[in-house]
C-alpha cells in the first residue's frame, strides 16, 4: 500500500518537475516545489516493501535537483 502511495506522489512530482524543465524564464522555480514532494515520496517508498516508488522519487530528485544545481537554484 505504501508503494502505491509513493508511486502516486512520484508521478505528481514528476509532472511538476517536467514543467520546471521548460526553458521559460522563472518557470524552473517550480522545481523548488517538486523537490520536497519527491523527498517525501522517497521517504514513504523507503518504508514500503517494494522499491519502485522509491526509485521513481529518486529519479525525480535527480531531475529537479540537477536542474536546480545547474542553474544555481535561480532560473
Amino acid at each position: 500500500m505504501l508503494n502505491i502511495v509513493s508511486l502516486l506522489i512520484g508521478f505528481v512530482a514528476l509532472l511538476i518537475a517536467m514543467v520546471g524543465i521548460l526553458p521559460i524564464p522563472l518557470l524552473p522555480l517550480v522545481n523548488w516545489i517538486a523537490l520536497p514532494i519527491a523527498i517525501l515520496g522517497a521517504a514513504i517508498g523507503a518504508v514500503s516493501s517494494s522499491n519502485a516508488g522509491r526509485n521513481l522519487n529518486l529519479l525525480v530528485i535527480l531531475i529537479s535537483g540537477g536542474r536546480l544545481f545547474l542553474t544555481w537554484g535561480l532560473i
Side-chain angles (χ1 to χ4, degrees):
M1 184 65 183
L2 287 175
N3 189 42
I4 295 172
V5 172
S6 178
L7 281 170
L8 290 174
I9 292 172
F11 284 128
V12 169
L14 183 63
L15 288 174
I16 293 171
M18 288 299 139
V19 170
I21 289 179
L22 296 175
I24 299 171
L26 297 179
L27 199 56
L29 290 175
V30 174
N31 284 320
W32 283 109
I33 297 170
L35 195 61
I37 294 172
I39 291 171
L40 175 69
I44 292 173
V47 178
S48 71
S49 60
S50 181
N51 293 334
R54 185 201 61 196
N55 292 342
L56 175 65
N57 284 296
L58 289 176
L59 177 70
V60 174
I61 290 170
L62 282 175
I63 290 171
S64 61
R67 174 74 163 115
L68 287 171
F69 177 75
L70 289 175
T71 60
W72 295 328
L74 297 176
I75 54 174

